[in-house]
Amino acid sequence: MQASNSAQLLRVQVDAAKAFYAIALATALLFWLNQDSISLYCQQKYHQSCELPVLGQSPAWRLGGNLTQALGAARDSFVDSLAQSRTAIAKVETVELPAPIPVVPVNLEAAHTAPHAVASKALAVKVAAPATVVAPVKPAAAVAPSPSPSATVVSLAAGDEVFLVGDSLMQGVAPHLANTLRKRYQIKSVNLSRQSTGLAYPGFFNWPRTVAQTLQSSPNIRLMVIFLGPNDPWDMPQGKGKPFLRFKSPDWESAYRQRIDAILEQAREHQVQVIWVGPPNMQKPRLSSAMAYLSGLYQEQVGLHQQHYLSVNPVLGYKDDEFSYTLQDSQGKRVKTRVDDGIHFTITGQKLIAEQILSKIAFPGLTVTGH
């Protein structure tokens, strides 16, 4: 019995060791294949390089990341080829042949004996006038009022689209802005706002490249609204194996300005108007100071490109470095505009910002269909 128990215990131990080995191997394999994603997450979370010493740059270790990139590129290429095939099929047009000309029988004898009768009929056909149709008179539709030139900075026409760019700040404002554009003016929106994004970590999400691709594929976009910033005031990576650029250093600022310019240059190339929304003061003084610094960069570069900058601070009633969770409305009541994290907005705050953006847009000739 003791020998049997010992053998059974040994088998249990062997099975446990095999299971542990399989789990460890699977975990190592996942880390090997997803090393780039893990590194980007680590940078985004802790704002420093997270590469493993020595191992991180070894060819055998890097093979896993390169393999994942190659598989991703092959997948994207396959999806693109399918999309192009569908587009090619959709572009095949059916050619409609003209309707056959009806054969009209002619009585030669009648035509010979009474040519004046035929001529009279032909003349009657030529001079016959169509009956006048009186259409019912519809009440005049409401036309979008044209705000004063000093208030508006851009204009949109029928068929134009609006591109919404940004992080979680824009994610809150975008639905209100898009719904109003659609319901009031039948203007469509392309909303690609995504939380935790900005310009400092293009490896995590590359806004300049996304903007370029979107403007290329959506020729009806005539206005781009940009609202981001809180994810950017950190040291910034400049490449594998290179030290991070310190926030606010000359090299950091130069690289950041270049990314702002890359977006604005794409807008100029595609003749797209831009409203760049500057982030407001924050509850934490350090973050608020960083937002003021970034807002200065946005405003300067937007001005150089002759586009339009809009600060959120006046919308929320902030002066200088002030911060408040509430705003006094027209009836003297305090309404909450910021949530408890001191960064994002309540629904009231989101709507106020969306309406302020809308006030900068003129819609000449467009029909207002809702409120």
Side-chain angles (χ1 to χ4, degrees), residues 202-250:
F204 176 74
F205 190 83
N206 193 321
W207 270 120
R209 183 175 61 194
T210 300
V211 167
Q213 293 172 346
T214 304
L215 295 183
Q216 179 66 32
S217 61
S218 303
N220 290 332
I221 292 176
R222 297 271 62 85
L223 170 63
M224 178 164 52
V225 183
I226 305 168
F227 193 12
L228 45 74
N231 298 304
D232 286 346
W234 317 102
D235 293 351
M236 187 163 59
Q238 58 175 331
K240 286 189 174 294
K242 297 181 180 179
F244 276 40
L245 300 176
R246 293 188 62 82
F247 178 55
K248 290 188 179 181
S249 68

Side-chain angles (χ1 to χ4, degrees), residues 19-40:
F20 176 79
Y21 176 76
I23 293 173
L25 184 61
T27 302
L29 182 62
L30 288 174
F31 270 90
W32 183 59
L33 292 173
N34 296 282
Q35 57 185 271
D36 289 337
S37 298
I38 295 171
S39 177
L40 289 173

Side-chain angles (χ1 to χ4, degrees), residues 55-291:
L55 180 63
Q57 290 301 316
S58 70
W61 177 256
R62 283 301 308 151
L63 177 62
N66 295 336
L67 180 61
T68 300
Q69 290 181 5
L71 291 173
R75 177 201 59 202
D76 294 341
S77 178
F78 177 70
V79 172
D80 290 341
S81 65
L82 286 180
Q84 292 174 1
S85 300
R86 291 175 182 174
T87 303
I89 293 173
K91 288 183 178 180
V92 176
E93 299 180 354
T94 302
V95 179
E96 295 184 1
L97 296 176
I101 300 175
V103 178
V104 180
V106 178
N107 190 329
L108 296 178
E109 183 178 355
H112 178 73
T113 57
H116 60 281
V118 177
S120 298
K121 290 181 180 180
L123 180 60
V125 172
K126 289 182 180 180
V127 300
T132 302
V133 178
V134 179
V137 179
K138 296 182 179 179
V143 176
S146 297
S148 61
S150 60
T152 60
V153 293
V154 301
S155 62
L156 295 175
D160 290 346
E161 296 181 2
V162 177
F163 182 21
L164 305 176
V165 171
D167 55 17
S168 54
L169 299 185
M170 176 58 90
Q171 276 187 317
V173 174
H176 305 290
L177 188 58
N179 288 340
T180 302
L181 287 168
R182 176 176 54 83
K183 292 179 179 179
R184 287 186 192 173
Y185 310 105
Q186 300 82 53
I187 296 291
K188 295 181 179 179
S189 301
V190 178
N191 179 17
L192 296 186
S193 57
R194 179 173 174 178
Q195 66 182 22
S196 302
T197 62
L199 303 183
Y201 291 86
F204 176 74
F205 190 83
N206 193 321
W207 270 120
R209 183 175 61 194
T210 300
V211 167
Q213 293 172 346
T214 304
L215 295 183
Q216 179 66 32
S217 61
S218 303
N220 290 332
I221 292 176
R222 297 271 62 85
L223 170 63
M224 178 164 52
V225 183
I226 305 168
F227 193 12
L228 45 74
N231 298 304
D232 286 346
W234 317 102
D235 293 351
M236 187 163 59
Q238 58 175 331
K240 286 189 174 294
K242 297 181 180 179
F244 276 40
L245 300 176
R246 293 188 62 82
F247 178 55
K248 290 188 179 181
S249 68
D251 288 341
W252 190 101
E253 182 173 314
S254 176
Y256 198 81
R257 286 182 186 270
Q258 289 175 11
R259 294 171 190 180
I260 299 172
D261 289 341
I263 292 176
L264 296 171
E265 286 167 4
Q266 284 296 318
R268 176 187 53 78
E269 180 178 335
H270 291 88
Q271 299 179 349
V272 172
Q273 306 163 98
V274 175
I275 297 178
W276 199 300
V277 184
N281 298 339
M282 303 291 173
Q283 189 273 332
K284 295 181 178 179
R286 183 176 179 181
L287 181 59
S288 189
S289 175
M291 291 303 97

Side-chain angles (χ1 to χ4, degrees), residues 276-320:
W276 199 300
V277 184
N281 298 339
M282 303 291 173
Q283 189 273 332
K284 295 181 178 179
R286 183 176 179 181
L287 181 59
S288 189
S289 175
M291 291 303 97
Y293 168 71
L294 293 182
S295 293
L297 301 184
Y298 302 148
Q299 189 170 10
E300 288 178 12
Q301 300 311 115
V302 166
L304 290 174
H305 286 262
Q306 299 182 342
Q307 295 285 8
H308 316 287
Y309 176 81
L310 172 65
S311 174
V312 172
N313 280 331
V315 181
L316 302 176
Y318 299 158
K319 296 179 181 179
D320 301 326

